[in-house]
Amino acid sequence: MKATKKQTDGYAHEPPTVQQLTTMLSVHKVRPSQQRLMILEYLLTHHNHPSVDMIYNELLIKVPTLSRATVYNTLNLFLKAGLVRVLDIVENEARYDILTDFHGHFKCNTCGEIFNFRVIDEALVSEELKGFGIDDKNVYFKGTCPKCLKK
Amino acid sequence: MKATKKQTDGYAHEPPTVQQLTTMLSVHKVRPSQQRLMILEYLLTHHNHPSVDMIYNELLIKVPTLSRATVYNTLNLFLKAGLVRVLDIVENEARYDILTDFHGHFKCNTCGEIFNFRVIDEALVSEELKGFGIDDKNVYFKGTCPKCLKK
DNA sequence: TCTGGTTTTATAATGATTATAAGTTATTGT
DNA sequence: ACAATAACTTATAATCATTATAAAACCAGA
């Protein structure tokens, strides 16, 4: 494990510069705009696996003219561009995650928090899937997190 | 005359007797009714990971008074009773599966079909989940099935 | 500054699911 | 057996996340 760089989930990270955000979008062939930069920054500094409304409500404070449709549009754009991944772990609500290494997600049914955990994905793929073109892998667990178990 | 119906998994299933269906419900503390028996029979004889509407439309042919709400109610009841599992693998549409051994699901993005595959679930659980109460595990893959790859 | 294209916004539409209330059917107690 | 009561089903309305649409705002180049 890396001792030098702290990369724990749920913590805020140093805000990236506009320069860095713009470059990140360009790499993925997405033109920059105020809203897109804001939403990308949100995703990079929050690791809450946010819903559209979590993003919308927070950014609304700073930009009261923001439209919920813009958040939907932008996330769909990021999705197509390969910037984010969408989680179907919460009933009737899409959750988003900046695309990083493959990992599983655990959702606590009590507090609703979503945790990451490592998965050895080689162990997943069985012989039966020979001949299948795999584009996307998802591992979702549900239950109760340690904090909620203590109550 | 019993015509063998074609299933997507290639297997035909003998229709269970009313006796067997009733017993199966009783074991799970679900009172039997015409509609519940019908829906349970559908789930046992089809292995298509059906949606509410797939079940509703097929049963409607035999029982034209059937309500879509009944199918929703019954599946939610089966879910609470532990008779079925719900899959969140298709966007904006719940799919149901008679509860059997743990296995993964592969959804073909081209034809929409859902395939089962074996997963060694011991390999899934990492050290990080010590202390978590796991109630439910899901493994969803998406991509293209061999048949659709050939086109 | 005009012009054409892109992005954002506000609002309406969609569609799966749930809630509600009324109508049926089954069960219980006498 | 028969009313009383509970359980189940049905039809319809409501909900709510998401998408579609069209108008307004923004931006880059001539």
Side-chain angles (χ1 to χ4, degrees):
Chain A
M1 316 304 137
K2 284 173 212 161
T4 47
K5 211 171 194 179
K6 192 180 172 187
Q7 194 77 9
T8 323
D9 285 317
Y11 289 87
H13 300 244
E14 278 303 308
T17 64
V18 177
Q19 185 64 263
Q20 291 173 309
L21 294 170
T22 306
T23 305
M24 205 168 158
L25 289 182
S26 308
V27 167
H28 289 265
K29 310 260 196 307
V30 174
R31 309 166 105 100
S33 75
Q34 283 308 311
Q35 289 83 345
R36 289 171 184 175
L37 292 170
M38 279 172 54
I39 292 169
L40 179 61
E41 187 190 15
Y42 180 101
L43 289 168
L44 288 169
T45 52
H46 297 68
H47 281 187
N48 295 334
H49 309 90
S51 65
V52 165
D53 270 32
M54 287 163 74
I55 299 171
Y56 173 67
N57 287 320
E58 174 133 344
L59 297 185
L60 198 63
I61 299 166
K62 297 194 169 181
V63 182
T65 59
L66 184 68
S67 166
R68 193 181 265 102
T70 300
V71 183
Y72 276 102
N73 291 340
T74 303
L75 288 171
N76 282 333
L77 185 71
F78 285 3
L79 198 60
K80 271 189 228 150
L83 269 162
V84 298
R85 127 190 316 273
V86 63
L87 309 181
D88 295 324
I89 200 171
V90 178
E91 205 125 321
N92 305 325
E93 193 180 53
R95 295 302 197 95
Y96 295 87
D97 209 6
I98 273 281
L99 209 58
T100 54
D101 291 346
F102 174 70
H103 57 265
H105 291 101
F106 181 100
K107 186 200 151 214
C108 176
N109 288 326
T110 304
C111 67
E113 193 168 337
I114 297 169
F115 302 83
N116 294 331
F117 63 92
R118 274 185 289 280
V119 172
I120 307 126
D121 63 341
E122 286 82 23
L124 277 177
V125 185
S126 77
E127 285 295 313
E128 296 162 279
L129 290 180
K130 285 271 158 64
F132 286 72
I134 302 169
D135 295 335
D136 190 32
K137 300 177 193 175
N138 289 287
V139 177
Y140 300 139
F141 284 14
K142 294 179 190 180
T144 315
C145 76
K147 204 190 287 175
C148 290
L149 268 180
K150 279 176 192 150
K151 292 168 192 168
Chain B
M1 53 168 197
K2 264 178 232 166
T4 314
K5 234 179 196 169
K6 199 185 174 204
Q7 313 288 338
T8 44
D9 63 1
Y11 295 90
H13 302 260
E14 277 303 308
T17 64
V18 177
Q19 184 63 262
Q20 290 173 309
L21 294 169
T22 307
T23 306
M24 205 169 158
L25 289 181
S26 308
V27 166
H28 289 264
K29 308 261 196 306
V30 174
R31 308 168 106 102
S33 76
Q34 282 310 309
Q35 289 83 344
R36 289 172 183 176
L37 292 170
M38 280 172 52
I39 292 168
L40 179 60
E41 186 191 16
Y42 180 100
L43 290 168
L44 288 169
T45 53
H46 297 69
H47 283 185
N48 295 335
H49 309 88
S51 65
V52 164
D53 270 31
M54 288 165 72
I55 300 171
Y56 172 67
N57 287 320
E58 173 133 344
L59 297 184
L60 198 62
I61 300 167
K62 297 192 172 184
V63 183
T65 59
L66 184 69
S67 167
R68 193 180 266 104
T70 301
V71 183
Y72 276 102
N73 291 339
T74 304
L75 288 171
N76 281 333
L77 186 70
F78 286 2
L79 198 59
K80 271 189 228 150
L83 269 162
V84 298
R85 127 191 316 275
V86 64
L87 309 181
D88 295 324
I89 199 171
V90 178
E91 205 125 320
N92 305 326
E93 191 180 54
R95 294 303 196 94
Y96 295 88
D97 209 6
I98 273 281
L99 211 58
T100 54
D101 291 345
F102 174 69
H103 58 265
H105 292 100
F106 181 100
K107 185 199 152 215
C108 176
N109 288 326
T110 304
C111 67
E113 193 168 334
I114 298 170
F115 302 83
N116 295 331
F117 63 92
R118 273 184 291 278
V119 172
I120 307 126
D121 63 341
E122 284 83 23
L124 278 177
V125 185
S126 78
E127 285 295 313
E128 296 164 279
L129 291 179
K130 286 271 158 66
F132 285 72
I134 302 170
D135 295 336
D136 190 32
K137 299 177 192 173
N138 290 287
V139 177
Y140 300 138
F141 282 16
K142 295 180 190 179
T144 316
C145 74
K147 205 191 291 176
C148 289
L149 269 181
K150 279 175 193 153
K151 294 169 192 169

